[in-house]
Amino acid sequence: MTAPFGPGFLFLNVLLEQLGLPIPALPTLLVAGALAASGRLPALGVITAAVAGCLLGDLCWYAAGRVYGGRVMKLLCRISLTPDVCVSQTQSSFERWGAGALVIAKFVPGLSMVAPPLAGATRMNVVRFAALSLLGDALWVGTALLGGVLLKAQVERLLPRLAGIGGEAV
């Protein structure tokens, strides 16, 4: 049986989520981890595609923060679920953990979307930003893929059922 998608789809899914579109990447990462564990997807291609999608999205938001500063932060906080708390919570996270907040940002709801433009707005060095973001991205992707590896048997049983209802859902 072939995989329902490849690394290119995974890259696009992760990138679009990181850019802010309401397209969840975590389920795709879990499935990709299971498929890579069963040899149906290339493990290195899966890891590379997902981390590259994350990093590219982060760099786009960093650049927006660098160019537009606080205006990007205000926009992101305006569209967040808790606009009143958004900026202050993100700034306090940055103050508490420093630039290391970028490493854990993907694991903290809200922080993952606001941390990259905040780093750009505060004029963090781009090489330092990219290195910390890459580390955080690799940890987040690795955790999700490992979850897929651990749930491989369940995912393998679920995929044929999802394929059967996919056409009906569309």
Side-chain angles (χ1 to χ4, degrees):
M1 183 178 223
T2 62
F5 58 86
F9 176 83
L10 183 62
F11 168 81
L12 188 61
N13 181 222
V14 171
L15 174 63
L16 292 176
E17 183 201 50
Q18 297 304 307
L19 290 176
L21 293 172
I23 301 169
L26 191 58
T28 310
L29 287 167
L30 289 170
V31 171
L35 294 173
S38 67
R40 293 170 55 192
L41 279 177
L44 184 59
V46 165
I47 294 166
T48 303
V51 171
C54 277
L55 186 59
L56 182 57
D58 290 347
L59 286 168
C60 288
W61 282 114
Y62 172 87
R66 186 97 179 196
V67 172
Y68 299 107
R71 290 181 289 188
V72 171
M73 297 298 299
K74 288 178 185 172
L75 170 69
L76 288 173
C77 288
R78 195 175 317 131
I79 62 175
S80 81
L81 296 176
T82 56
D84 303 338
V85 184
C86 180
V87 174
S88 63
Q89 196 173 46
T90 304
Q91 286 175 335
S92 70
S93 295
F94 254 73
E95 289 167 7
R96 185 176 320 129
W97 295 307
L102 291 167
V103 175
I104 61 147
K106 296 281 186 253
F107 296 96
V108 180
L111 184 59
S112 65
M113 192 69 206
V114 183
L118 181 61
T122 60
R123 301 278 189 222
M124 177 185 282
N125 177 285
V126 69
V127 173
R128 185 171 185 222
F129 168 79
L132 291 168
S133 185
L134 180 62
L135 177 59
D137 295 344
L139 288 171
W140 182 72
V141 166
T143 301
L145 293 175
L146 179 60
V149 169
L150 296 174
L151 296 170
K152 181 179 116 178
Q154 291 79 5
V155 170
E156 296 266 335
R157 283 194 304 267
L158 185 62
L159 283 178
R161 291 182 184 162
L162 289 177
I165 63 170
E168 293 175 29
V170 171

